[in-house]
């Protein structure tokens, strides 16, 4: 007699709303291939040495290309690092040690790389000087490159996911998100990842239903099994019974109908009960986001996240590449206000070509405007691209991670230098309020800004000192806590004339719309799929401050 496993209902935190069903695709190696030492025969030594030489040559070539691009587009200091990586890789004593490891110990080239680089890394790390220690980090960087080249890792694991499946993974990294954009999956289940993580907002942006924080997900969900995902309720049914499938199908149809009604009204302006017109714009990272946003009634783009143009690349884009990318992504919003945020990398959004920036505490290190101030060529490239874009678009600029008034002054200064013709209006510039310091010095920052936009995801992270990507401190990460609204309200009281918007995830939650209006927020920038329901919520509220807070 054949036994069927019973159906299984798992619960987690809803990260991105919606219903989906599909066969599971369990991704176990998302954090990189696991490598075990591989023994070889004597007869294979020659072949392994050839593989080692080929991988070394190809990495060496890549490093030359990287160094040239980085020198031209970022900073010559940075390009030197790639040059020194190349020298280290081709160091005769290193190469000799690698060859000996293969020939004497009879292990594969990959295993030799792991063993030898680890030894070298330890040698450097054991030394006292800071420079030697940095070399240890460099060795790790090179070994990862070489190891991947030997393993033939040229495609990302997410590149090979079958369409229509439910992705099951331990966690998603921001760079994984870039690849996710290209696969047609139905939904995502994650073991770890808070609702404020970048991966979370990316899946929301894509309108991909997603549930996170499911305990022991990887151990409990088998591959290629039917799963019904209710990301509104935060439940997933694995191996559903026939009756569960019928009920799920009915629920999917009902929800689709309700959403259709909200969408029919979405093109109308969002006017509060007391007659205040509130602007609802969209957060976008791709052209399909912008298209969906406009269809859904968005009145412009409140946050264009430039990171997508940088992540998943080995070299930074040129001005022309950036302009092309932005023109394509923002095309559907031509004629409407579009707000371009300058590059916000660092912390949990590392760039491959800046991977050597090992900081012990990256969330408190060089991210956002801090990195741009340190590498002004990156900033200039982006401002030049904005300049070119402003010929065809109604552009505004948004500066990420502002903590000091000088952060804004640094950008306005470069903008002035680049904008020589006084007859053309310089785009309006806004500061993102994402740190308590920025909120508390709103008056000084406002002197350099035309508007302020609250990035409540980071504002929450920095207010509670709780990493937005760390599931272990999820309960501290509360973006709708009273302290967050207090900071918002304080800014409004300090600069009552300043246009205020929210572009963090808080803006997309209908239950908090009334409180945000009471804090003086008059622009809501939300993920494209959420525009209709946020507009509907605004129409139910009034702007009277004291009643809502
Ligand atoms: C935020 O921090 O709220 C924000 C909008 O920026 P990001 O999520 O891209 O850091
Ligand atoms: Mg932010």
């Amino acid at each position: 007699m054949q036994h069927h496993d019973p159906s299984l209902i798992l619960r987690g935190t809803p990260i991105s709303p919606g219903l989906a069903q599909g066969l599971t695709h369990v991704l176990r190696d998302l954090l990189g291939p696991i490598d075990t030492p591989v023994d070889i025969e004597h007869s294979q030594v020659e072949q392994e040495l050839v593989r080692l030489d080929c991988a070394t040559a190809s990495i060496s070539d890549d490093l030359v290309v990287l160094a040239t691009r980085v020198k031209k587009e970022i900073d010559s200091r940075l390009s030197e690092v790639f040059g020194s990586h190349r020298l280290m890789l081709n160091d005769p004593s290193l190469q000799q040690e690698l060859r000996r490891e293969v020939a004497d110990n009879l292990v594969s080239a990959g295993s030799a790389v792991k063993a030898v680089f680890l030894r070298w890394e330890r040698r450097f790390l054991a030394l006292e000087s800071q420079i030697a220690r940095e070399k240890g980090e460099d060795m790790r960087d090179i070994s990862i490159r070489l190891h991947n080249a030997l393993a033939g890792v040229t495609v990302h694991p997410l590149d090979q996911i079958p369409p229509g499946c439910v992705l099951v993974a331990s966690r998603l990294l921001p760079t994984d998100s870039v690849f996710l954009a290209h696969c047609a999956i139905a939904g995502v289940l994650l073991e770890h990842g808070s609702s404020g993580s970048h991966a979370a907002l990316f899946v929301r942006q894509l309108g991909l239903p997603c549930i996170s924080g499911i305990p022991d997900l990887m151990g409990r969900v088998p591959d290629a099994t039917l799963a019904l995902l209710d990301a509104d309720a935060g439940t997933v049914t694995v191996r559903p019974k026939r009756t569960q499938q019928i009920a799920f199908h009915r629920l999917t149809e009902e929800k689709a109908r309700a959403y259709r009604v909200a969408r029919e009204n979405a093109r109308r302006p969002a006017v509060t009960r007391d007659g205040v017109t509130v602007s609802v714009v969209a957060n976008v990272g791709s052209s399909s986001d912008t298209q969906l946003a406009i269809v859904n009634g968005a009145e412009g783009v409140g946050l264009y996240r430039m990171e997508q143009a940088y992540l998943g690349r080995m070299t930074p884009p040129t001005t022309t590449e950036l302009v092309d990318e932005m023109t394509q992504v923002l095309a559907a919003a031509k004629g409407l206000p579009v707000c371009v945020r300058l590059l916000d990398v660092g912390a949990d959004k590392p760039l491959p070509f800046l991977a050597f920036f090992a900081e012990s505490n990256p969330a408190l290190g060089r991210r956002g405007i801090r990195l741009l101030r340190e590498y002004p060529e990156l900033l200039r490239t982006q401002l030049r691209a904005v300049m070119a874009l402003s010929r065809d678009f109604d552009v505004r600029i948004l500066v990420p991670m502002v903590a000091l008034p000088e952060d804004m002054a640094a950008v306005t200064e470069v903008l002035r230098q680049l904008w020589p013709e006084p007859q053309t209006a310089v785009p309006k510039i806004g500061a993102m309020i994402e740190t308590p310091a920025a909120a508390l010095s709103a008056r000084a920052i406002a002197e350099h800004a035309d508007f302020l936009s609250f990035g409540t995801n980071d504002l929450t992270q920095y207010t509670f000192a709780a990493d937005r990507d760390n599931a272990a401190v999820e309960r501290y990460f509360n973006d709708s806590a009273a302290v967050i609204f207090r900071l918002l309200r304080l800014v409004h009281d300090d600069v009552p004339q300043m246009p205020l918007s929210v572009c963090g995830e808080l803006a997309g939650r209908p239950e908090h719309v009334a409180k945000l209006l009471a804090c003086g927020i008059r622009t809501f920038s939300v993920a494209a799929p959420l525009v209709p329901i946020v507009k509907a919520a605004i129409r139910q509220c009034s702007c009277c401050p004291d009643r809502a807070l």
Side-chain angles (χ1 to χ4, degrees):
M1 202 173 94
Q2 200 183 344
H3 288 283
H4 289 288
D5 287 331
S7 69
L8 178 70
I9 297 181
L10 302 174
R11 278 168 222 289
T13 312
I15 288 285
S16 170
L19 271 60
Q21 61 172 305
L23 294 182
T24 54
H25 181 88
V26 182
L27 207 59
R28 298 200 184 278
D29 60 351
L30 208 58
L31 294 178
I34 297 160
D35 63 296
T36 39
V38 179
D39 293 336
I40 56 165
E41 301 288 331
H42 235 301
S43 57
Q44 292 172 291
V45 167
E46 200 46 45
Q47 178 194 330
E48 285 304 290
L49 293 180
V50 171
R51 286 196 337 111
L52 188 61
D53 287 344
C54 289
T56 306
S58 105
I59 302 294
S60 219
D61 291 348
D62 287 354
L63 288 169
V64 175
V65 176
L66 268 177
T68 318
R69 291 280 309 262
V70 169
K71 183 172 183 174
K72 218 169 100 205
E73 289 153 30
I74 312 184
D75 188 287
S76 54
R77 266 187 306 159
L78 284 185
S79 73
E80 285 165 15
V81 178
F82 291 110
S84 71
H85 276 198
R86 192 160 169 263
L87 286 177
M88 286 161 87
L89 174 66
N90 290 296
D91 183 304
S93 52
L94 174 73
Q95 285 296 327
Q96 209 176 20
E97 202 171 321
L98 281 168
R99 301 176 84 79
R100 266 209 310 269
E101 187 77 18
V102 172
D104 298 352
N105 292 351
L106 293 180
V107 291
S108 71
S111 305
V113 165
K114 197 182 168 204
V116 172
F117 273 84
L118 202 64
R119 280 203 292 271
W120 277 60
E121 189 187 323
R122 289 208 179 118
R123 267 176 229 154
F124 281 123
L125 292 179
L127 296 173
E128 279 297 313
S129 91
Q130 176 66 19
I131 291 177
R133 298 182 68 80
E134 279 171 12
K135 283 234 178 304
E137 301 288 339
D138 290 341
M139 288 313 273
R140 174 169 302 181
D141 222 30
I142 305 166
S143 76
I144 291 171
R145 268 175 204 278
L146 196 53
H147 201 267
N148 280 350
L150 281 164
V153 180
T154 49
V155 288
H156 191 278
L158 284 174
D159 256 357
Q160 298 157 327
I161 290 193
C165 71
V166 170
L167 174 66
V168 178
S170 172
R171 58 171 293 200
L172 283 181
L173 298 173
T175 26
D176 299 327
S177 314
V178 179
F179 293 91
L180 211 56
H182 304 297
C183 18
I185 58 173
V188 182
L189 296 173
L190 300 174
E191 203 163 288
H192 307 286
S194 78
S195 63
S197 67
H198 286 99
L201 58 97
F202 192 80
V203 287
R204 221 169 283 142
Q205 197 84 308
L206 290 176
L208 264 181
C210 175
I211 304 171
S212 177
I214 305 174
D216 195 22
L217 173 71
M218 304 299 282
R220 291 157 85 191
V221 176
D223 205 23
T225 309
L226 182 62
L228 309 177
L229 217 122
D230 182 347
D232 293 340
T235 58
V236 55
T237 312
V238 184
R239 279 185 305 266
K241 291 191 219 114
R242 183 95 194 104
T243 47
Q244 288 171 315
Q245 289 185 44
I246 294 168
F248 189 81
H249 185 68
R250 204 173 299 133
L251 187 64
T252 309
E253 286 194 330
E254 271 168 30
K255 295 228 170 170
R257 215 171 300 127
Y259 188 67
R260 254 197 315 274
V261 173
R263 250 180 72 174
E264 274 159 22
N265 290 316
R267 296 298 191 108
R268 289 174 33 225
V271 183
T272 61
R273 283 179 188 276
D274 50 350
V276 178
T277 302
V278 176
S279 163
V280 181
V281 290
N283 296 348
V284 305
S286 70
S287 55
S288 51
D289 289 345
T290 316
Q291 283 157 16
L292 180 64
I294 302 306
V295 168
N296 275 354
E299 290 141 5
V301 167
L303 173 63
Y304 162 67
R305 285 189 169 98
M306 197 184 279
E307 293 75 51
Q308 297 304 320
Y310 283 76
L311 294 172
R313 296 176 54 117
M314 290 313 291
T315 52
T318 60
T319 304
T320 317
E321 281 172 336
L322 258 188
V323 176
D324 290 350
E325 170 77 13
M326 293 198 285
T327 306
Q328 194 224 335
V329 170
L330 298 169
K334 226 174 190 173
L336 298 170
V338 296
C339 196
V340 171
R341 180 177 72 183
L342 301 177
L343 185 66
D344 182 17
V345 287
D348 65 336
K349 291 181 278 193
L351 287 182
F353 51 90
L354 295 179
F356 39 84
F357 273 172
E359 292 185 300
S360 58
N361 208 341
L364 304 181
R366 285 172 287 192
R367 59 165 292 195
I369 183 59
R370 300 171 183 189
L371 186 93
L372 299 180
R373 286 184 69 180
E374 193 163 341
Y375 296 100
E377 213 28 64
L378 268 181
L379 175 62
R380 273 196 286 272
T381 303
Q382 288 161 31
L383 291 179
R384 272 191 214 108
V386 169
M387 258 173 95
L389 194 75
S390 73
R391 292 187 204 116
D392 296 320
F393 287 81
D394 179 7
V395 189
R396 287 129 177 75
I397 298 166
L398 199 47
V399 184
M401 273 299 288
V402 172
L404 303 171
E406 295 96 277
D407 289 336
M408 287 301 288
V411 181
T412 51
E413 175 56 29
V414 178
L415 201 57
R416 254 193 303 274
Q417 288 165 8
L418 291 177
W419 223 276
E421 316 114 72
Q423 65 272 35
T424 24
V426 178
K428 285 197 165 42
I429 184 162
M432 284 196 76
I433 306 296
E434 308 187 90
T435 59
L440 295 168
S441 49
R443 272 198 205 117
I445 287 171
E447 284 178 20
H448 306 275
D450 301 299
F451 64 98
L452 304 178
S453 187
F454 291 97
T456 48
N457 310 332
D458 276 314
L459 185 60
T460 305
Q461 155 163 278
Y462 294 119
T463 301
F464 286 99
D467 184 345
R468 57 197 273 191
D469 282 310
N470 185 346
V473 290
E474 229 169 79
R475 79 177 114 132
Y476 291 94
F477 186 95
N478 179 3
D479 64 353
S480 57
V483 287
I484 301 299
F485 285 105
R486 235 178 125 186
L487 285 171
L488 265 57
R489 183 60 205 232
L490 188 139
V491 171
H492 178 48
D493 290 343
D494 278 358
V495 285
Q497 304 307 324
M498 186 52 64
L500 298 181
S501 67
V502 172
C503 59
E505 297 304 293
L506 181 61
R509 304 232 292 281
E511 68 273 27
H512 298 301
V513 162
K515 283 192 197 167
L516 291 174
L517 289 171
C519 292
I521 307 301
R522 294 295 178 265
T523 300
F524 289 64
S525 193
V526 303
L530 303 177
V531 173
I533 55 164
V534 171
K535 280 193 158 184
I538 291 169
R539 292 189 194 108
Q540 301 302 314
C541 298
S542 83
C543 278
C544 173
D546 299 322
R547 231 180 303 150
L549 270 184

